[in-house]
Amino acid sequence: MGSNESGTRVIGYAVTAAALLLCPEVSHADQGGGSFWFPGQFASLVAVQQTPGWALNVIYYHSSVAAAGSAAAAREILTGRIPATVNVDLNLSLSGRADLVALAPSYTFATPVLGGQLVVGMSGQYGRTAASIAGTLTAIAGPIVVTRSGVLEGSLTSYGDLAPFAELLWNHGVNNYMAYVTGNIPVGDYDPMRLPNIGLGHGAIDVGGAYTYFNQATGNEISGVAGFTYNLKNPDTQYRSGIDLHFDWGASHYLTKQLFVGIAGYAYQQITDDSGQNPILGGFRSRIFGVGPQIGYSFPVGGMQGFLGLRGYGEFGAANRPSGWNTWLTFAISPTEPTAAAPIKHLLTK
């Protein structure tokens, strides 16, 4: 098997610490509408083993989303530093766009660990995010009533947080298994008073597992990845996001040894309440679903193996978070497989 897919997958971690970090106010619920895990970062062939050695994955990520109600209000409340004791009446709409590039170098060990293949790496990102909130907010504290109308907007081009990761991969014929752990190191550009941010502002840890059925004889594949995110408290805002449950999936078919097509999707559900939020937001649990097509192509790059993939999602069923569409353009380069006869595998991740 080639290592490009896993490398591409790894970038998912990068985008986790990127897309979400690049545009928290236009991504998931949790604090101000942003979360560590980015739905859709995993897809096909996620648990398939890769070729030992160094790999590099580069992803260009673009999203365009909009929201109203509490998803927009949360960011206005956070940015405006509205105390939890103040009652607010909100009639707001939010729109946002993110364009970022994520880099994720990784290393796959040849020596087995716990009977599996160990992959470690680190992801980082750089890009631009823009967001705007329009409408009216009325704050009431006793006899004092303050109303704000108009548009609050901003943009930022900067760097995001770092996301280290480790994976263990096992193969048993057509059955492949993977366990992973990743997390957020909050070193990115973050200001709690600013509308757009690249950094998330707090630490997080995410653990999960995956299964891939891959029949090389028929070229058919199906994968699923489930995980949980535990968020640490933001020291600047004293806000703690709840625990998130996420499930990413993908299915593909190889038309040739180099080319595959398929579909991918995700489901994301926050399972515990946030804490430290304004009471008007309640538990502020987020939910989102997404589905879309994917295509990938493998090719030689000198003495290495290259991969180019494109994946897109349309979102639906959103609760307490903006929704819209997003696309992932992935380029990965990794060691060439020692067995030239084996079909090349990859995927878009991240």
Side-chain angles (χ1 to χ4, degrees), residues 35 54 93 106 127 136 167 176 183 187 191 208 218 241 272 275 288 303 340:
S35 67
W54 287 100
S93 62
S106 64
T136 302
E167 302 173 347
N176 302 271
V187 295
D191 182 344
T218 62
S241 300
T272 66
S275 62
I288 194 67

Side-chain angles (χ1 to χ4, degrees), residues 2 8 33-34 39 81 126 137 179-180 194 201 221 240 252 295 312 323:
T8 337
R81 293 281 192 173
Y126 185 89
L137 180 151
Y180 77 87
R194 186 173 55 207
E221 173 274 339
R240 184 194 294 272
S252 64
I295 184 171
S323 62

Side-chain angles (χ1 to χ4, degrees), residues 9-333:
R9 176 176 81 239
V10 159
I11 255 299
Y13 294 125
V15 179
T16 274
L20 310 179
L21 310 179
L22 265 178
C23 204
E25 61 283 337
V26 297
S27 49
H28 315 276
D30 298 299
Q31 175 172 297
S35 67
F36 170 66
W37 185 262
F38 193 82
Q41 61 187 283
F42 282 131
S44 291
L45 299 163
V46 64
V48 176
Q49 291 193 338
Q50 46 194 305
T51 305
W54 287 100
L56 176 64
N57 299 270
V58 183
I59 282 186
Y60 166 67
Y61 171 82
H62 172 79
S63 73
S64 179
V65 297
S70 61
R75 192 59 192 173
E76 171 73 357
I77 290 172
L78 184 63
T79 305
R81 293 281 192 173
I82 298 173
T85 56
V86 174
N87 295 319
V88 290
D89 181 28
L90 304 152
N91 181 18
L92 301 168
S93 62
L94 166 71
S95 63
R97 169 176 172 149
D99 292 279
L100 65 93
V101 175
L103 301 177
S106 64
Y107 185 79
T108 300
F109 292 87
T111 303
V113 176
L114 299 178
Q117 185 182 62
L118 175 63
V119 182
V120 297
M122 176 78 74
S123 69
Q125 56 287 318
Y126 185 89
R128 182 180 187 275
T129 179
S132 64
I133 298 176
T136 302
L137 180 151
T138 301
I140 304 172
I144 302 175
V145 178
V146 178
T147 298
R148 176 193 293 177
S149 297
V151 177
L152 176 65
E153 59 186 354
S155 63
L156 177 67
T157 300
S158 192
Y159 58 94
D161 296 343
L162 294 176
F165 60 86
E167 302 173 347
L168 274 176
L169 305 161
W170 297 271
N171 170 253
H172 300 284
V174 298
N175 299 305
N176 302 271
Y177 307 89
M178 184 264 281
Y180 77 87
V181 59
T182 184
N184 189 59
I185 302 176
V187 295
D189 195 349
Y190 172 79
D191 182 344
M193 298 295 288
R194 186 173 55 207
L195 180 58
N197 277 302
I198 306 298
L200 192 58
H202 65 82
I205 184 169
D206 191 283
V207 296
Y211 170 77
T212 293
Y213 170 83
F214 184 31
N215 189 322
Q216 298 187 47
T218 62
N220 294 325
E221 173 274 339
I222 186 169
S223 297
V225 187
F228 294 89
T229 304
Y230 178 79
N231 296 287
L232 303 180
K233 181 182 291 185
N234 186 320
D236 293 313
T237 63
Q238 299 304 302
Y239 193 112
R240 184 194 294 272
S241 300
I243 296 174
D244 304 317
L245 168 65
H246 50 82
F247 179 74
D248 296 356
W249 59 270
S252 64
H253 176 72
Y254 277 85
L255 302 178
T256 70
K257 288 184 178 182
Q258 289 74 40
L259 176 67
F260 74 78
V261 295
I263 60 173
Y266 52 76
Y268 179 97
Q269 176 67 61
Q270 186 176 331
I271 59 176
T272 66
D273 293 348
D274 290 354
S275 62
Q277 73 277 30
N278 191 290
I280 192 174
L281 298 176
F284 203 53
R285 298 190 186 190
S286 63
R287 181 187 68 240
I288 194 67
F289 301 93
V291 66
Q294 62 170 330
I295 184 171
Y297 182 71
S298 307
F299 53 92
V301 179
M304 303 287 283
Q305 177 66 48
F307 170 74
L308 188 65
L310 179 64
R311 185 168 76 249
Y313 294 101
E315 295 183 317
F316 59 96
N320 292 323
R321 64 149 281 165
S323 62
W325 57 272
N326 56 82
T327 58
W328 308 66
L329 178 62
T330 302
F331 172 73
I333 186 167

